[in-house]
Amino acid sequence: MRNKIVDAAEAVAIIRSGDTVASSGFVGVGTPDEIIKALERRFVETGEPRDLTLVFAAAPGDGLDRGLNRLAHPGLIKRLIGGHFGLVPKLARMAVDNHVEAYNLPLGCVSHLFREIAGRKAGLLSKVGLGTFVDPANGGGKLNSRTTEELVRLLEIDGEQWLFYKAFPINVAIIRGTTADRNGNISMEKEALTLDNLALATAAKNCKGFVIAQVERIAASSSLNPRHVKIPSVLIDCVVVAQPENHAQTYATGYNGAFSGELRAPADRNVPMPLDNRKIIARRCALELPMGGVVNLGIGMPEGVASVAAEEKLFDFVTLTAEPGIIGGIPQGGLDFGAAINAESIIDQNQMFDFYDGGGLDLACLGMAQVNANGDVNVSLFNGRLAGAGGFINISQNARELIFAGTFTTGGLKTAIVDGQLKILNEGKSSKFIDKIDQITFSGRLAAKNGQPVLYVTERCVFKLTSEGLELIEVAPGIDIERDILALMGFRPILRSPKVMDATVFNEAPMQLDDRLLNRPMSERLTFDEKRNTLFLGLDGYRVYKPADVEAIREGVFAIFARVGHRFSAIISYDSSDIAPDMADEWFSMAADVERTCYDHVSRYTTSAFMRLKLGDALARRNVAPHIFETSVDAHQFVVE
């Protein structure tokens, strides 16, 4: 087999005018800068190639000049198809200024589309994007008047609406790995992510195109462990060895072994955040963390939730993830975004979006730039700035529960905390809660219709999505509702009886969240709705280790029964509950006894398949019909019906 090692100039010479070129990269992780620089140099020196279609999932760039920003030259690019534009502002400006054709599609759909193209399929069928700007009814992801071809179509299948993302040939794929042998086998042992490299390479080869791989070192032919080879030589046309400055692990970090899994960093290196707006918001969001659940944290304000979780010692009780393929560990922010310290697993980006799109997330916490009365959120295109949707649409549309996090106003907001009270020292220039948003990245109407629980958390208040629109449910201590909230909004939210935000959010001392979320007082676990005649029993995180733990629940439910004087419905959460094996018989006998005496309808739910099986078997053996669901929405619906 011929030696596939070439220099960067030779590699990019295979790119012809009019080609569709797809690049790997997530911020600086996996971004093939050596090859991108060579392509830019060739165009500047020769004027070729021209009129390229450039395709990318995440934004391979640093927000300034690196990554795909290098290719923002008039004549070089004809069309852009991207998932996220926030860190490639030069390309974004070309799109906004109508200089090139441009599409913004959900990052996860672009990622999945690579896989569909690899299999020579017609395209991708997905519900992701319905009701947003990607929906053909709202523009089909087209970013300017120059862009006319329909890449997204609305289809109806068996009475349900779906979006069809059209496939297209990829002529050249530019990917990145760590080591290549001379045959072209590629390993990725020092990369922080594996991304879509295999799918991209397969797509280009099956379109009769070319694959260029950037690596940092060369090994002898056939010397790589086959289990470590992520892209086989049959998919690789040429390999470029990068200069070290063009192959950093991320744009912020030359190399960190804790990003790649080479080593585990000490767990005690977390530095607590200062008590400012960012921490206030992160703390309030952290109060919603599902014990035992799987969570995604978006870029920007939500990144602070990871810091709070570390400070509050919650990492043993919740699994954080990041959309490029990170499961577990501590997701990083800034120009390290996408990487994680001490990840449990690093999987391909398209596989992660399989998990997300299928409903694998228990909670997502994302940013917000604009919000309207319906609860619609815009983060993709606002005030003339194209950030792009990124993974936001996939994540927000499919997470079981959702939090949007951000300051109430933007542009110069300054606050202080005085004696546990929040004081506005300087108000921001513009409110995020406005009458008309520039673009719909999240559909509040669709979420409300589907019964998705959604919160909007700011430093001064919290809103909840209802079927009628946004409701103000919490206000920070020291904040005047009329002056500091309502007067600054472009619409009037639903106002019933908002309560004061948790006081511990505004104190310097740790919140003791590990204890609060796992050892909540019984008064917080038992909530009875008189109007609905329904008991909500929160056993999430409840630990049954001794007889007193069983009796506490029995006494609590029977006390409510004695007070109301008649049977009632019950909705019971078992998420992350822990029933010791030697207490199981006593616990389930109690549960059966309470149900026969107090309940007329009851549903239970937990994301744990093992717990659902355990509950079903134990209750059935006690002649109690088990109605056990995976989600809170399903459990509530059963009781309503």
Side-chain angles (χ1 to χ4, degrees):
M1 185 174 291
R2 70 180 180 89
N3 183 353
K4 296 184 178 180
I5 313 303
V6 301
D7 65 31
E10 290 179 278
V12 299
I14 68 175
I15 302 175
R16 301 295 182 226
S17 293
D19 276 352
T20 295
V21 179
S23 175
S24 71
F26 191 101
V27 191
V29 181
T31 300
D33 276 297
E34 187 81 24
I35 300 168
I36 295 169
K37 287 180 70 175
L39 178 57
E40 178 192 28
R41 188 181 309 114
R42 181 185 169 210
F43 177 79
V44 170
E45 293 175 355
T46 71
E48 295 287 339
R50 302 184 64 82
D51 297 329
L52 299 181
T53 292
L54 188 60
V55 186
F56 50 94
D62 66 346
L64 296 170
D65 301 309
R66 288 185 286 185
L68 294 183
N69 287 294
R70 301 181 188 278
L71 304 184
H73 291 281
L76 175 56
I77 304 298
K78 175 186 177 182
R79 172 182 285 192
L80 296 168
I81 303 173
H84 187 58
F85 286 81
L87 293 167
V88 285
K90 293 184 178 182
L91 294 179
R93 179 47 53 190
M94 294 177 78
V96 171
D97 290 345
N98 207 31
H99 292 160
V100 296
E101 299 173 28
Y103 300 83
N104 181 203
L105 306 180
L107 190 157
C109 293
V110 178
S111 179
H112 283 157
L113 200 53
F114 292 150
R115 196 170 61 189
E116 301 303 310
I117 295 170
R120 301 299 297 273
K121 307 292 177 57
L124 171 70
L125 197 63
S126 175
K127 287 184 177 291
V128 172
L130 286 169
T132 73
F133 74 92
V134 181
D135 193 313
N138 299 325
K142 297 189 290 291
L143 293 174
N144 57 38
S145 60
R146 189 187 190 107
T147 308
T148 58
E149 183 181 354
E150 301 292 345
L151 292 187
V152 186
R153 288 159 48 198
L154 181 66
L155 301 179
E156 185 172 303
I157 302 175
D158 294 335
E160 291 189 51
Q161 289 189 329
W162 295 79
L163 294 183
F164 179 74
Y165 294 83
K166 180 183 175 182
F168 45 81
I170 293 175
N171 305 115
V172 181
I174 304 173
I175 63 173
R176 193 178 108 167
T178 300
T179 307
D181 67 12
R182 292 190 176 275
N183 297 338
N185 292 298
I186 310 292
S187 63
M188 303 182 70
E189 63 272 17
K190 294 177 71 175
E191 299 295 307
L193 299 166
T194 58
L195 298 172
D196 293 314
N197 284 287
L198 178 58
L200 261 178
T202 308
K205 290 304 291 183
N206 285 349
C207 292
K208 311 304 180 188
F210 297 92
V211 180
I212 307 170
Q214 173 180 314
V215 298
E216 64 176 79
R217 59 193 183 187
I218 302 298
S221 297
S222 304
S223 64
L224 298 179
N225 184 326
R227 290 189 177 274
H228 296 164
V229 172
K230 295 296 184 183
I231 306 100
S233 63
V234 295
L235 299 178
I236 301 297
D237 291 288
C238 52
V239 175
V240 174
V241 180
Q243 295 297 313
E245 64 269 22
N246 297 325
H247 202 97
Q249 193 179 35
T250 78
Y251 282 143
T253 303
Y255 180 71
N256 184 338
F259 288 175
S260 62
E262 178 188 6
L263 55 84
R264 292 189 66 80
D268 58 353
R269 296 175 63 184
N270 179 67
V271 178
M273 299 166 61
L275 187 55
D276 54 12
N277 289 332
R278 184 181 180 85
K279 187 167 187 176
I280 290 169
I281 293 168
R283 279 180 155 187
R284 178 58 188 85
C285 292
L287 285 170
E288 303 297 323
L289 288 172
M291 296 297 92
V294 181
V295 176
N296 171 275
L297 301 177
I299 195 169
M301 190 65 73
E303 295 171 17
V305 180
S307 296
V308 170
E311 182 182 348
E312 299 286 346
K313 300 179 175 58
L314 293 178
F315 282 134
D316 288 340
F317 307 108
V318 66
T319 300
L320 301 183
T321 67
E323 59 265 35
I326 293 296
I327 299 176
I330 307 174
Q332 299 298 286
L335 291 180
D336 280 332
F337 185 64
I341 291 175
N342 300 342
E344 295 177 19
S345 177
I346 301 173
I347 64 176
D348 285 358
Q349 185 167 245
N350 53 72
Q351 296 169 334
M352 179 60 87
F353 279 105
D354 286 336
F355 179 64
Y356 283 179
D357 288 358
L361 281 174
D362 296 298
L363 175 72
C365 182
L366 305 172
M368 56 183 176
Q370 296 176 334
V371 183
N372 67 15
N374 297 322
D376 300 331
V377 176
N378 176 24
V379 298
S380 46
L381 178 62
F382 48 92
N383 301 326
R385 175 176 176 262
L386 172 61
F392 185 96
I393 300 177
N394 299 81
I395 295 166
S396 64
Q397 191 171 314
N398 294 299
R400 291 191 176 104
E401 296 188 22
L402 183 59
I403 302 173
F404 293 112
T407 54
F408 189 83
T409 62
T410 186
L413 173 66
K414 292 182 181 180
T415 66
I417 298 173
V418 181
D419 298 328
Q421 305 275 305
L422 182 67
K423 305 295 182 185
I424 309 296
L425 303 180
N426 188 71
E427 191 59 83
K429 294 179 181 177
S430 58
S431 172
K432 294 183 179 180
F433 296 85
I434 59 180
D435 178 52
K436 183 177 176 57
I437 65 177
D438 296 338
Q439 195 172 69
I440 299 176
T441 329
F442 170 79
S443 172
R445 283 194 178 98
L446 184 62
K449 178 182 176 182
N450 293 335
Q452 184 182 28
V454 184
L455 294 179
Y456 305 73
V457 175
T458 77
E459 80 290 345
R460 69 187 71 183
C461 62
V462 179
F463 298 93
K464 179 178 72 173
L465 180 64
T466 73
S467 57
E468 298 85 24
L470 284 194
E471 178 184 353
L472 179 64
I473 61 169
E474 294 179 25
V475 177
I479 290 297
D480 181 273
I481 292 179
E482 188 62 45
R483 180 193 65 215
D484 299 325
I485 299 175
L486 301 182
L488 302 176
M489 298 180 69
F491 59 89
R492 189 169 182 85
I494 298 167
L495 201 60
R496 296 191 176 102
S497 52
K499 64 180 183 180
V500 178
M501 290 173 67
D502 194 307
T504 60
V505 169
F506 302 90
N507 291 325
E508 289 285 352
M511 299 172 69
Q512 306 296 332
L513 277 182
D514 55 340
D515 184 65
R516 291 179 61 184
L517 293 177
L518 289 168
N519 298 313
R520 286 157 47 207
M522 198 58 60
S523 60
E524 293 183 9
R525 292 187 180 276
L526 291 154
T527 304
F528 188 76
D529 187 324
E530 302 279 355
K531 292 182 179 179
R532 296 174 59 182
N533 192 39
T534 300
L535 169 68
F536 299 93
L537 176 53
L539 297 176
D540 39 301
Y542 191 69
R543 290 171 285 191
V544 184
Y545 294 166
K546 54 188 183 297
D549 300 327
V550 179
E551 290 308 308
I553 299 299
R554 184 199 303 272
E555 291 172 4
V557 177
F558 273 112
I560 292 174
F561 179 70
R563 176 170 60 81
V564 301
H566 54 75
R567 297 166 71 90
F568 43 80
S569 298
I571 300 172
I572 306 173
S573 168
Y574 271 88
D575 267 342
S576 304
S577 59
D578 184 11
I579 303 172
D582 62 332
M583 295 302 302
D585 187 66
E586 188 172 343
W587 173 265
F588 289 114
S589 294
M590 176 275 294
D593 182 37
V594 167
E595 178 166 348
R596 283 190 287 262
T597 304
C598 304
Y599 305 153
D600 52 13
H601 296 92
V602 60
S603 63
R604 300 170 174 87
Y605 66 94
T606 171
T607 56
S608 168
F610 175 74
M611 179 59 80
R612 290 198 299 274
L613 182 66
K614 185 176 179 179
L615 282 168
D617 179 64
L619 294 172
R621 284 190 285 107
R622 289 166 174 80
N623 297 317
V624 172
H627 299 289
I628 304 163
F629 302 91
E630 185 177 3
T631 70
S632 169
V633 171
D634 292 337
H636 280 70
Q637 189 63 36
F638 172 79
V639 168
V640 169
E641 293 177 348

